[in-house]
Amino acid sequence: MIQVAVFVSPQTVCSSLSQTCDAFSLANRLAGQRLFALHRFSVDGQPVTLDYAQIQVDGDLASAESATLIVLPAAGSDIDTLLAQHTRLLAWLARRPPTQQLASLCSAAFLLAAAGLLDGGPATTHWALADNFRQRFPKVQLDERALLSQQHNRFCSGGAQAGLDLCLHLIGWHAGPWLAQRVAAALVVERHRGLQSRFQPLLPEARQDDAGISALLIWLQQHHAQTLDLEQLAARLHCSTRSLLRRFKAATGLTPIDYLQRLRISAAQGALHQPQPSLEQVALAVGYQDRATFARLFKQLCGETPGAFRRRVLER
């Protein structure tokens, strides 16, 4: 029997905790036998109060030392508080043997990294936390595009629902892909969903401290299909192209042309949620005269072709 120890703390995200426990419990039921023994633990063995419930646990840190697999559910986005309030856990994690499997869901990757368990290997976390992660842990090979990662017995998953992808992966790892597929079917989710980057917004959230740039972004939303160049955009702001580039990059993190391309592809994504119009018509409607250029940029930004994107969203 596989001993699965699931960590609980005041920072634990309720949905991540329940998702983990539900996935392994469902695997037991569908297998017709208890393949996975679930064990909830906290730092001191005391119950933990979360936003929506008080969680009873089965023991403290020492009680999880013999577990085959330790799972750290997501723990929110306040990383400073997360690391400051888990010093005992971090020291305990650092002592885990290489043979013990450790899995982090979403932001819990920061705990594995802070314990020095991800250095030199691949990892992932929620795409919105990627910059923070890289600044803190430059020795880790972070790929925020990935839904999950594995380095020997160290596993990570991306944001939110990617935790379920990792649970399915671990069920398949221990009990076979047939059971992982049955669990996925029962939960009405796809396995092998591709890259996390498919869910990342194409357009960055812009700063609001430059009124001219804010007004220009609104104008671009309405006129992105037109043929535009830097001189035209600078003229709208009554400034030089150099000033435009500086102000635009400060507000969005992108050049005006990069932002325009992302705006067009984002508009194309919306259009592709319908079976019509054709791909050529979509390309023209968002500002591309050449379908090949449109398809190349779409795949570059979205990780899949326009046709594959349309098939996927229409099959939901």
Side-chain angles (χ1 to χ4, degrees):
M1 187 182 302
I2 307 302
Q3 302 290 328
V4 181
V6 184
F7 179 66
V8 189
S9 78
Q11 285 73 40
T12 297
V13 177
C14 286
S15 59
S16 185
L17 173 63
S18 61
Q19 183 183 71
T20 301
C21 294
D22 288 348
F24 286 102
S25 296
L26 182 57
N28 286 338
R29 182 166 67 81
L30 293 175
Q33 57 181 307
R34 195 178 179 212
L35 298 175
F36 301 98
L38 285 171
H39 174 91
R40 291 190 298 271
F41 71 104
S42 61
V43 168
D44 55 9
Q46 296 300 307
V48 178
T49 300
L50 303 182
D51 288 342
Y52 308 111
Q54 184 177 69
I55 306 299
Q56 300 297 318
V57 298
D58 304 302
D60 59 5
L61 293 175
S63 73
E65 291 187 349
S66 61
T68 308
L69 167 65
I70 294 171
V71 180
L72 308 176
S77 58
D78 186 349
I79 304 304
D80 289 335
T81 299
L82 174 66
L83 298 180
Q85 295 190 2
H86 286 81
T87 53
R88 286 181 61 188
L89 174 70
L90 293 176
W92 181 81
L93 287 172
R95 297 194 299 271
R96 297 304 90 222
T99 54
Q100 192 169 39
Q101 298 169 19
L102 303 176
S104 67
L105 310 187
C106 195
S107 56
F110 283 81
L111 295 172
L112 291 186
L117 299 172
L118 299 178
D119 286 355
T124 191
T125 188
H126 194 293
W127 55 263
L129 299 174
D131 289 344
N132 189 332
F133 191 99
R134 282 197 177 88
Q135 290 172 8
R136 293 174 186 268
F137 310 115
K139 294 181 180 180
V140 180
Q141 299 170 17
L142 183 71
D143 182 5
E144 69 274 23
R145 301 171 304 166
L147 279 175
L148 56 88
S149 66
Q150 179 178 355
Q151 178 192 8
H152 304 301
N153 284 324
R154 306 297 181 247
F155 304 84
C156 302
S157 66
Q161 295 304 312
L164 182 55
D165 292 89
L166 181 52
C167 288
L168 292 171
H169 177 75
L170 291 167
I171 290 169
W173 179 269
H174 287 287
W178 66 272
L179 183 57
Q181 185 57 49
R182 288 196 65 190
V183 174
L187 294 173
V188 197
V189 297
E190 298 178 44
R191 290 199 67 203
H192 311 301
R193 294 187 299 139
L195 297 175
Q196 184 182 191
S197 57
R198 294 198 287 115
F199 304 95
Q200 184 173 353
L202 292 179
L203 295 173
E205 185 174 347
R207 289 171 45 186
Q208 301 297 315
D209 53 355
D210 188 327
I213 294 295
S214 296
L216 181 60
L217 295 181
I218 294 173
W219 186 86
L220 283 172
Q221 288 276 357
Q222 301 167 343
H223 300 86
H224 61 264
Q226 297 180 10
T227 300
L228 300 169
D229 57 32
L230 290 178
E231 287 73 18
Q232 290 172 281
L233 298 179
R236 293 198 65 83
L237 285 185
H238 307 289
C239 68
S240 66
T241 55
R242 178 177 295 182
S243 178
L244 168 69
L245 288 169
R246 175 181 54 79
R247 292 168 60 185
F248 204 99
K249 189 70 176 288
T252 69
L254 299 171
T255 67
I257 300 305
D258 286 341
Y259 188 93
L260 178 61
Q261 303 288 22
R262 287 174 173 267
L263 184 56
R264 288 173 171 173
I265 297 301
S266 181
Q269 285 181 324
L272 290 169
H273 276 76
Q274 302 298 323
Q276 295 294 333
S278 68
L279 296 182
E280 290 82 358
Q281 290 170 323
V282 170
L284 286 171
V286 300
Y288 296 104
Q289 302 298 315
D290 178 22
R291 175 181 165 177
T293 299
F294 164 65
R296 176 177 54 80
L297 289 169
F298 193 101
K299 186 171 184 179
Q300 178 182 317
L301 292 173
C302 304
E304 57 188 336
T305 65
F309 178 89
R310 170 175 269 170
R311 289 190 295 274
R312 178 171 57 81
V313 297
L314 292 180
E315 287 172 357
R316 289 177 179 174

